Amino acid sequence: MSSIENTASNPSSSVFALFSPKLLPATLMLGGGVTLYAVESYITATIAPSIVRDIGGLELFAWMTTLFVAAGVLGSITVATRPKGMGLRAVYVAAAITFGVGSLICAVAPLMPVLLVGRAVQGYGAGMLSGLAYAFIRFVYPEVLWRKASTLYAAIWGVATVLGPTLGGLFAAGGAWREAFIVLVPLTVIMALSARWLLPAVADDRSDTRTPLIQIGLLLAAVLFVNIASTVEHGSYTVLLIAASIVLVATMVAIERKSDTRLLPYGAAMLGNPISRLYLTMFMAMMVLTSDIYIPYFLQTLHDVTPLVSGYLVALVALGWTVAALLSASFSGKQAAIAIIAGCILETAATASLIPVLATATPFDAVARFAPAVVAMFLMGFGVGLGWAHLVTKVIGITRRTEQDKASAAISMTQSLGGAFGAALAGVIANGAGLTHPGGIAGGLSAATWLYALMAIPGLIAIVLSFTIRPASA
């Protein structure tokens, strides 16, 4: 097995060691893949109105995101279920080319259905690139840097929350939404061509390469249902779709427990196993964090904050994630375990604190009035960032070597699923609490109160789970 790890002697434990001459090429390639996935998610959300105005298809508006997310989950699964003997480097090349092809289809799409095909192809490639970043960690970096690499990937998602909408706004302002896709094509070509020289060739050490088609089908259906649930207007349909999603996921977990052909690493479907609790903690943390999607609405409707300012205020969530990830990068052992617990507590407390902060009709016309909101939003992201890299490192560290590709792919999958279910649940709560009926100030006050009260519950579950994570597995 060829690995950059073998060439790195006495590596520094600093995050800057990822950018040392020997590791820089691989860091750029893997970090670049995560960046494409993260930034593109936010760019397209920003330019979507421009796309609809140009080529129509308003009735299919939500599917631009739905197909991208669902295909991304399938892409991350592909990293672990690829054909036997296919190395990770070959998967990277295929992923970069797939993402580029999808971007090209989007750029030339004359109608919305064609663009949706491109978004699905894009999402599939992006999902593979994101999953590969975690799959390559153990081959590219010495173990002392695994946590630092995970920190870097977490920080990229935080930065993308600000960078993506900014870039998307620039393209949308000039009516150049096609250019937002076309600029990605040469970049992906460069990435595909560079992979042979900048990424190590590693042996395929998986013991089981059979494809769990039933579990994949159930999971994809659940993702589609929950994404559709976040877009439908009738509350009863939304509840039914989410309930169906939960049933599908439960069925998938039940099959995982008994099947010899698994989608997840051994033990991930059994709550008594530590790796199951690690994934579940990640899932709950992402669910809670996704409740921030309604913050701009509450800021604008209840507190007279301009759209531009509200956008930058919500970016504090991403800033908090990035700052915490960098601050906790050097933690290990008991420190890492404490960081996970403290992170879950901070995120949950910050979410609940948004009730008195946002559920008022007071204009934020002075620093003293919006300062509590600033602190709460920052701490939401800070809590997740404080423990995320340590959860990732623990997953990779306790998984059997022959199943580490599955474990790595499941990290990206868990992140996407948590976001999808969180967005759908937030929509159900907000709409059920009166966001649209009666709407206005009264509806906003009720929705803000119920949303952040109920979305703190998954955070409480994450806190309980975090106390079961043993420092010895760090």
Side-chain angles (χ1 to χ4, degrees):
M1 177 180 70
S2 173
S3 171
I4 294 177
E5 177 182 343
N6 297 331
T7 67
S9 59
N10 300 320
S12 166
S13 60
S14 168
V15 69
F16 295 106
L18 299 174
F19 300 95
S20 65
K22 289 181 179 178
L23 299 177
L24 178 60
T27 297
L28 291 177
M29 292 291 286
L30 300 179
V34 176
T35 301
L36 279 181
Y37 191 2
V39 173
E40 180 59 21
S41 300
Y42 295 107
I43 286 180
T44 304
T46 307
I47 64 175
S50 299
I51 295 174
V52 171
R53 283 193 296 268
D54 189 15
I55 64 175
L58 180 61
E59 69 280 4
L60 300 173
F61 186 91
W63 284 94
M64 282 189 278
T65 299
T66 298
L67 289 177
F68 187 85
V69 172
V73 171
L74 181 58
S76 64
I77 293 172
T78 301
V79 174
T81 60
R82 66 191 187 275
K84 179 65 176 176
M86 186 177 186
L88 291 175
R89 191 169 64 183
V91 179
Y92 188 99
V93 173
I97 293 174
T98 301
F99 187 90
V101 170
S103 300
L104 184 59
I105 294 173
C106 291
V108 302
L111 300 169
M112 180 60 76
V114 178
L115 186 131
L116 293 180
V117 171
R119 285 293 284 166
V121 176
Q122 242 195 345
Y124 184 68
M128 284 195 286
L129 288 171
S130 181
L132 281 165
Y134 293 111
F136 258 117
I137 281 181
R138 61 192 175 108
F139 298 112
V140 169
Y141 306 110
E143 187 170 354
V144 70
L145 292 180
W146 288 0
R147 188 176 295 107
K148 307 303 182 299
S150 300
T151 297
L152 175 64
Y153 304 151
I156 287 172
W157 273 97
V159 172
T161 307
V162 180
L163 184 60
T166 301
L167 292 175
L170 292 175
F171 284 110
W177 66 266
R178 294 185 186 276
E179 285 76 1
F181 291 112
I182 200 67
V183 296
L184 298 172
V185 177
L187 180 60
T188 55
V189 171
I190 293 172
M191 292 171 66
L193 293 175
S194 302
R196 180 176 180 82
W197 293 276
L198 301 184
L199 290 175
V202 294
D204 184 356
D205 56 6
R206 295 170 297 159
S207 60
D208 183 8
T209 59
R210 293 172 295 177
T211 303
L213 294 176
I214 296 176
Q215 293 97 306
I216 291 174
L218 290 170
L219 188 59
L220 287 179
V223 173
L224 286 173
F225 280 8
V226 78
N227 273 276
I228 296 171
S230 65
T231 64
V232 297
E233 296 181 358
H234 299 287
S236 57
Y237 293 159
T238 301
V239 173
L240 286 174
L241 285 167
I242 292 181
S245 298
I246 294 173
V247 170
L248 289 171
V249 172
T251 303
M252 188 273 287
V253 170
I255 293 174
E256 274 284 297
R257 289 177 177 173
K258 300 178 180 179
S259 178
D260 293 329
T261 304
R262 293 189 304 273
L263 173 64
L264 303 172
Y266 178 78
M270 296 175 282
L271 191 58
N273 193 295
I275 195 170
S276 174
R277 298 194 293 274
L278 289 170
Y279 282 126
L280 194 54
T281 303
M282 293 170 129
F283 179 82
M284 293 297 171
M286 286 305 303
M287 278 191 68
V288 176
L289 192 68
T290 312
S291 64
D292 71 345
I293 62 177
Y294 283 98
I295 292 179
Y297 177 84
F298 295 137
L299 289 174
Q300 294 171 43
T301 304
L302 302 178
H303 305 288
D304 295 333
V305 177
T306 66
L308 179 62
V309 173
S310 67
Y312 281 114
L313 286 176
V314 175
L316 289 167
V317 177
L319 179 62
W321 180 322
T322 301
V323 170
L326 296 175
L327 286 177
S328 66
S330 61
F331 294 173
S332 62
K334 290 184 178 180
Q335 286 181 320
I338 292 173
I340 293 172
I341 295 171
C344 292
I345 293 173
L346 277 176
E347 183 194 23
T348 304
T351 301
S353 73
L354 287 173
I355 299 172
V357 169
L358 294 182
T360 65
T362 306
F364 284 171
D365 53 4
V367 174
R369 291 189 185 277
F370 66 76
V374 168
V375 174
M377 287 183 281
F378 181 84
L379 289 180
M380 278 184 74
F382 190 91
V384 180
L386 196 62
W388 189 266
H390 306 296
L391 289 167
V392 170
T393 304
K394 287 175 181 291
V395 166
I396 297 174
I398 68 175
T399 306
R400 300 171 180 176
R401 173 170 289 275
T402 55
E403 290 196 313
Q404 285 187 337
D405 284 355
K406 285 184 180 180
S408 300
I411 292 170
S412 295
M413 185 174 69
T414 300
Q415 186 171 353
S416 296
L417 289 174
F421 274 90
L425 180 59
V428 171
I429 295 171
N431 291 328
L435 185 68
T436 55
H437 301 288
I441 299 296
L445 291 173
S446 176
T449 300
W450 283 102
L451 176 62
Y452 295 109
L454 295 179
M455 288 302 286
I457 294 176
L460 294 175
I461 297 174
I463 292 172
V464 173
L465 291 169
S466 70
F467 277 98
T468 70
I469 298 173
R470 300 177 61 182
S473 63

